Amino acid sequence: MVPHKTARGGAAMDRLKTFEGIPHPFDRKKRMVVPSCLKVLRLRPERRFCRLGDLSSEYGWKHGSLIERLETQRKVKSEAFYKKKTASKKAKSQALKSVKLSGDDQAILEKCGYA
């Protein structure tokens, strides 16, 4: 609960940003799990909980299917990106193994901190 009628609460509400799905600047960022925020760690087993999407749809929000469709598209793109990334990483490691450097080149790389 935010005291939205006070100046401090109003300022906090002005700073709040909410999104449906993952907006453009953040959809390319690496996503990670914050273990301290996991439901299984934060809630005791007997406590009741609800999801925001379920609650919103009960009160008239009609865009759940759109968000679900966009999320499946995002997952497909993400999987393709991950496969491409792992393939390029594998090709790079194989290329690095196959490269043979002369002693002079190796000394220069070590001097610069790359070897």
Side-chain angles (χ1 to χ4, degrees):
M1 297 296 292
V2 177
H4 64 279
K5 293 183 180 181
T6 65
R8 183 175 62 97
M13 292 300 284
D14 289 339
R15 288 190 307 266
L16 178 68
K17 289 184 181 179
T18 58
F19 303 101
E20 292 178 357
I22 302 173
H24 170 65
F26 304 113
D27 61 350
R28 301 283 182 198
K29 303 268 184 191
K30 182 179 179 183
R31 283 176 284 285
M32 59 187 77
V33 174
V34 181
S36 62
C37 297
L38 289 174
K39 181 185 72 165
V40 295
L41 297 176
R42 300 300 296 174
L43 291 178
R44 294 198 310 238
E46 70 271 5
R47 293 289 188 187
R48 297 176 131 196
F49 68 94
C50 68
R51 292 189 172 89
L52 183 61
D54 298 338
L55 189 64
S56 300
S57 62
E58 286 181 15
Y59 284 96
W61 186 59
K62 297 177 180 71
H63 303 291
S65 60
L66 171 68
I67 296 299
E68 192 172 318
R69 181 173 54 87
L70 291 173
E71 186 67 14
T72 56
Q73 288 176 358
R74 183 196 64 80
K75 285 181 181 178
V76 168
K77 286 181 185 177
S78 179
E79 184 178 355
F81 172 77
Y82 180 73
K83 285 182 180 178
K84 183 178 172 184
K85 179 181 169 185
T86 54
S88 67
K89 190 184 247 186
K90 187 176 181 181
K92 182 180 176 182
S93 67
Q94 287 177 349
L96 286 174
K97 286 179 184 176
S98 66
V99 170
K100 302 220 182 330
L101 294 175
S102 66
D104 296 334
D105 293 337
Q106 185 68 28
I108 292 171
L109 286 176
E110 288 176 359
K111 181 181 174 185
C112 296
Y114 288 108

